[in-house]
């Protein structure tokens, strides 16, 4: 998950969504394995780098090649097909375990009075 989208409307939507993710475990009282370790989108050409400059927003940070190397020293920076020119770092970006989100959401819904029907077969 990340919130470094530049288009009007998208940026606000994703920024708000990221705030919801940051409070989801407390809201559900369930561990969804939310981890904000940061996210780096690599760019492999001058055009991708220029595009990354255009979408800088929120707390996204443009990294040059050496900046990426500090975070990801194990990458092959000189790969002939995909040389690493740099990256766009979103420090608040991260992941959550999708099945834990589903179970936590179901549990939270049930606690709020929603009837859940499992293994429902539709015939017809």
């Amino acid at each position: 998950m990340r919130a470094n989208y530049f288009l009007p409307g998208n940026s606000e939507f994703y920024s708000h969504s990221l705030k919801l993710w940051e409070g989801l475990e407390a809201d559900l009282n369930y561990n969804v394995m939310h981890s904000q370790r940061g996210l780096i989108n690599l760019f492999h050409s001058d055009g991708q780098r220029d595009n990354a400059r255009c979408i800088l927003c929120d707390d996204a940070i443009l990294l040059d090649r050496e900046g990426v190397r500090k975070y990801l020293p194990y990458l092959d920076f000189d790969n002939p097909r995909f040389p690493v020119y740099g990256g766009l770092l979103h420090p608040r970006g991260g992941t959550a375990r999708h099945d834990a989100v589903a179970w936590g959401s179901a549990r939270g819904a049930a606690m709020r009075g929603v009837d859940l029907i499992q293994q429902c077969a539709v015939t017809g």
Side-chain angles (χ1 to χ4, degrees), residues 1-56:
M1 61 205 68
R2 61 190 172 100
N4 59 343
Y5 295 86
F6 179 70
L7 297 174
N10 285 0
S11 179
E12 297 82 5
F13 176 79
Y14 285 107
S15 291
H16 180 71
S17 296
L18 189 55
K19 288 177 187 170
L20 294 174
W21 275 109
E22 290 169 341
L24 184 63
E25 289 180 328
D27 291 345
L28 297 175
N29 190 26
Y30 196 86
N31 181 7
V32 297
M33 299 179 178
H34 181 235
S35 174
Q36 288 181 287
R37 296 180 185 186
L39 173 75
I40 298 177
N41 295 98
L42 299 176
F43 39 89
H44 306 284
S45 70
D46 291 332
Q48 288 178 342
R49 183 194 56 230
D50 294 345
N51 184 56
R53 283 189 183 128
C54 292
I55 64 171
L56 277 175

